[in-house]
């Protein structure tokens, strides 16, 4: 059975207005944080995406009462009666989501045990859970690998520790924060990720009663407390979705107002967008993005952890770069296998070559390994319709952008994957006058 099939008649500029709500990279983690509070929590600006459904189901399995006003985007969570869930139920409900690993710290605090199934996620590179398990062990957790997954216990409780990350991993930073806030004593996390979504999670935890300080050298200090309460919080807007629609406007010679887009979270993207020839206007309630006419300019860009150019901005931008004049170079330093999506773009007429070498920037941790992590895009090249299959969430939306920019008709298979991170994307396409039809 086809897992979501979309027919796209491309070659039409996207024009109109759409709204982005809370960040996919924050909302599910803030939902997990509610497990730590002895009183109810309220999360606002919650998008209707697959990841929210998955985490809601997992929380419900653990006895959390949930009420979701989808129209207003308000999620109420009451974790006063947390309980253990059956392993099979967790496994069945989690599917390919990697979120269950973040349940471990809160559940160890609340129940003394946790279970996580085999983890899935997008096929964009090696994303091992070793960081997570080692972090939990350092707090005092006992890890027992079983047939269906991993069971964790804390026979002597969880205690503060010193963690030195070899790379500023977002997931490892989240794991440490969610575990350390109620661990006995002090925790020092060195080499932490400091993305806006991480800082928003810190805000959530501080509202709950946590004591957290963030130093300028990527060191986070957490002083464990005996108990936490619920929170009321408005999630920061999704800067990845905002940038995706911005790139779509550029690639299709369109004009899109992204209501909810926030300038300070997108500074690096906006600089690159302007360099390539895109135009934008920052307003109090969002940002307008458009193609001002004329030729787009080629450029060199390197992805990096915050405050660098975000890896999730890279794939949509590459589609726009196929229409830029000259040679553009993109060096991916965050995920080693993120250029798999370019094969579909080549099928549609793009001239893109991928390389193992670190091109256009400094040497990175993938430079001496067998990964195609640099791309050279030659343009402008007209794109034509084709039958393509979505490889992952961000690559899938990039394929959709390419189909919208291409002349002719494309059939995009596997678009259900896009539901994980893009709220109401079919309605938004309609609002932007896109000629799309869902076939399955």
């Amino acid at each position: 059975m086809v897992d979501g099939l979309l027919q796209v008649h491309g070659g039409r500029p996207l024009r109109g207005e759409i709204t982005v709500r809370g960040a996919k990279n924050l909302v599910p983690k803030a939902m997990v944080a509610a497990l730590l509070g002895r009183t109810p929590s309220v999360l606002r600006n919650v998008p209707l995406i697959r990841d929210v459904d998955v985490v809601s189901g997992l929380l419900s399995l653990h006895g959390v009462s949930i009420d979701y006003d989808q129209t207003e985007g308000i999620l109420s969570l009451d974790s006063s009666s947390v309980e253990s869930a059956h392993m099979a139920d967790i496994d069945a409900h989690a599917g390919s989501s990697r979120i269950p690993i973040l349940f471990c710290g809160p559940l160890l605090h609340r129940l003394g045990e946790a279970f996580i199934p085999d983890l899935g996620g997008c096929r964009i590179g090696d994303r091992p859970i070793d960081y997570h398990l080692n972090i939990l062990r350092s707090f005092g957790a006992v890890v027992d690998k079983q047939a269906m997954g991993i069971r964790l216990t804390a026979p002597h409780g969880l205690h503060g520790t010193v963690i030195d990350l070899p790379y500023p991993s977002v997931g490892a930073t989240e794991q440490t924060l969610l575990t350390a806030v109620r661990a006995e004593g002090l925790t020092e996390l060195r080499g932490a990720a400091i993305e806006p979504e991480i800082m928003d999670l810190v805000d959530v935890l501080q509202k709950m009663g946590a004591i957290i300080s963030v130093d300028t050298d990527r060191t986070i200090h957490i002083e464990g407390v005996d108990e936490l309460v619920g929170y009321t919080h408005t999630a920061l807007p999704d800067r990845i979705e905002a940038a995706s629609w911005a790139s779509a406007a550029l690639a299709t010679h369109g004009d899109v107002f992204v209501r909810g887009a926030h300038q300070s979270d997108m500074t690096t993207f906006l600089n690159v967008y302007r360099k390539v020839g895109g135009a934008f206007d920052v307003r109090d309630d969002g940002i307008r993005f458009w193609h001002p006419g004329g030729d787009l300019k080629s450029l060199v860009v390197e992805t990096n952890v915050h405050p660098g150019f975000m890896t999730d901005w890279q794939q949509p931008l590459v589609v726009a770069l196929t229409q830029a004049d000259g040679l553009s170079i993109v060096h991916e330093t965050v995920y080693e296998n993120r250029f798999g999506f370019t094969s579909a773009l080549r099928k549609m007429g793009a001239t893109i070559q991928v390389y193992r070498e670190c091109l256009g920037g400094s040497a990175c941790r993938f430079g001496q390994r067998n990964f195609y992590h640099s791309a050279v895009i030659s343009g402008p090249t007209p794109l034509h319709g084709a039958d393509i299959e979505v490889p992952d969430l961000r690559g899938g939306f990039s394929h959709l952008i390419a189909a919208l920019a291409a002349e002719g008709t494309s059939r995009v298979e596997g678009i259900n994957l896009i539901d994980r991170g893009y709220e109401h994307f079919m309605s938004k396409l309609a609002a932007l006058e896109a000629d799309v039809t869902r076939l399955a």
Side-chain angles (χ1 to χ4, degrees):
M1 181 178 178
V2 175
D3 186 24
L5 180 62
L6 194 67
Q7 181 173 279
V8 181
H9 298 292
R12 300 178 55 175
L14 296 182
R15 300 187 185 278
E17 175 184 319
I18 55 96
T19 298
V20 296
R21 291 207 279 193
K24 170 189 174 291
N25 284 358
L26 176 275
V27 168
K29 292 57 176 296
M31 293 170 66
V32 174
L35 277 171
L36 292 161
R38 61 174 176 80
T39 57
S41 295
V42 176
L43 185 60
R44 304 182 186 276
N45 204 28
V46 177
L48 184 61
I49 57 176
R50 174 61 179 161
D51 277 13
V52 170
D53 291 339
V54 169
V55 178
S56 294
L58 290 170
L59 288 171
S60 296
L61 289 175
H62 287 93
V64 178
S65 175
I66 298 176
D67 179 56
Y68 183 19
D69 183 334
Q70 297 179 0
T71 302
E72 298 296 326
I74 300 175
L75 192 65
S76 301
L77 308 103
D78 185 351
S79 61
S80 57
S81 301
V82 174
E83 59 188 29
S84 296
H86 294 292
M87 292 185 182
D89 291 339
I90 298 173
D91 191 30
H93 192 83
S96 62
S97 173
R98 303 178 68 88
I99 290 293
I101 187 69
L102 295 178
F103 275 66
C104 294
L107 288 176
L108 285 170
H109 285 302
R110 292 296 301 268
L111 302 174
E113 66 175 2
F115 169 79
I116 53 172
D118 291 332
L119 299 176
C122 292
R123 301 187 301 274
I124 57 175
D126 186 21
R127 303 169 80 179
I129 64 170
D130 292 353
Y131 277 0
H132 295 268
L133 296 180
N134 288 337
I135 286 168
L136 292 164
R137 286 189 184 100
S138 71
F139 280 103
V142 176
V143 178
D144 179 23
K145 296 184 178 182
Q146 300 180 346
M148 291 183 63
I150 300 172
R151 182 174 180 264
L152 297 99
T153 56
H156 305 294
L158 298 179
H159 303 271
T161 186
V162 175
I163 297 169
D164 198 343
L165 295 181
Y167 183 79
S169 160
V170 169
T173 301
E174 292 164 340
Q175 183 71 259
T176 302
L177 288 169
L178 291 167
T179 305
V181 287
R182 282 201 57 198
E184 181 181 348
L186 300 174
T187 295
E188 180 177 292
L189 174 62
R190 302 168 184 163
I194 54 171
E195 273 65 11
E197 296 81 8
I198 292 288
M199 294 299 100
D200 214 36
L201 180 60
V202 168
D203 289 347
V204 168
L205 294 168
Q206 188 179 56
K207 288 179 178 180
M208 299 178 74
I211 301 173
I212 304 171
S213 62
V214 182
D215 296 342
T216 56
D217 63 350
R218 293 186 177 272
T219 299
I220 298 179
H221 298 273
I222 307 104
E223 183 177 337
V225 297
D226 292 336
E227 69 172 14
L228 297 171
V229 297
Y231 62 81
T232 297
H233 187 77
T234 300
L236 84 169
D238 197 313
R239 62 194 175 117
I240 304 174
E241 183 181 358
S244 297
W245 291 113
S247 293
L250 197 58
T252 65
H253 287 245
D255 189 334
V256 176
F257 178 64
V258 183
R259 185 175 299 279
H262 194 209
Q263 179 185 10
S264 64
D265 297 333
M266 300 180 66
T267 301
T268 307
F269 175 83
L270 295 175
N271 287 336
V272 171
Y273 197 79
R274 178 166 282 161
K275 287 179 181 179
V276 80
F280 62 88
D281 178 30
V282 178
R283 305 176 185 176
D284 289 342
D285 56 348
I287 305 176
R288 175 192 170 205
F289 298 94
W290 74 96
H291 191 306
D295 295 334
L296 297 180
K297 305 176 184 68
S298 58
L299 82 170
V300 177
V301 64
E302 180 176 81
T303 68
N304 210 332
V305 296
H306 187 77
F309 190 86
M310 191 180 194
T311 179
D312 289 310
W313 292 333
Q314 173 257 110
Q315 291 162 299
L317 182 70
V318 164
V319 180
L321 290 177
T322 67
Q323 305 309 302
D325 185 19
L327 291 177
S328 294
I329 298 174
V330 179
H331 180 206
E332 172 62 53
T333 75
V334 179
Y335 289 130
E336 62 271 36
N337 287 326
R338 202 149 207 180
F339 285 120
F341 79 103
T342 59
S343 60
L345 300 186
R346 287 191 290 271
K347 183 178 180 182
M348 300 176 78
T351 302
I352 303 174
Q353 294 178 297
V354 294
Y355 297 88
R356 296 184 180 92
E357 292 78 15
C358 300
L359 301 181
S362 56
C364 77
R365 59 200 175 119
F366 306 136
Q368 302 301 317
R369 301 164 67 187
N370 195 30
F371 298 119
Y372 290 93
H373 69 292
S374 292
V376 177
I377 305 105
S378 178
T381 52
L383 301 179
H384 54 78
D387 291 346
I388 51 181
E389 184 175 353
V390 168
D392 59 75
L393 173 61
R394 306 303 173 188
F397 197 86
S398 302
H399 287 171
L400 180 58
I401 294 173
L404 292 165
E407 292 293 335
T409 300
S410 297
R411 289 162 61 93
V412 185
E413 182 179 340
I415 62 166
N416 288 351
L417 190 56
I418 299 176
D419 290 324
R420 282 190 53 215
Y422 294 88
E423 179 187 40
H424 301 311
F425 79 92
M426 287 296 295
S427 299
K428 291 176 182 178
L429 288 172
L432 298 178
E433 303 175 6
D435 187 354
V436 297
T437 305
R438 192 157 191 164
L439 302 178

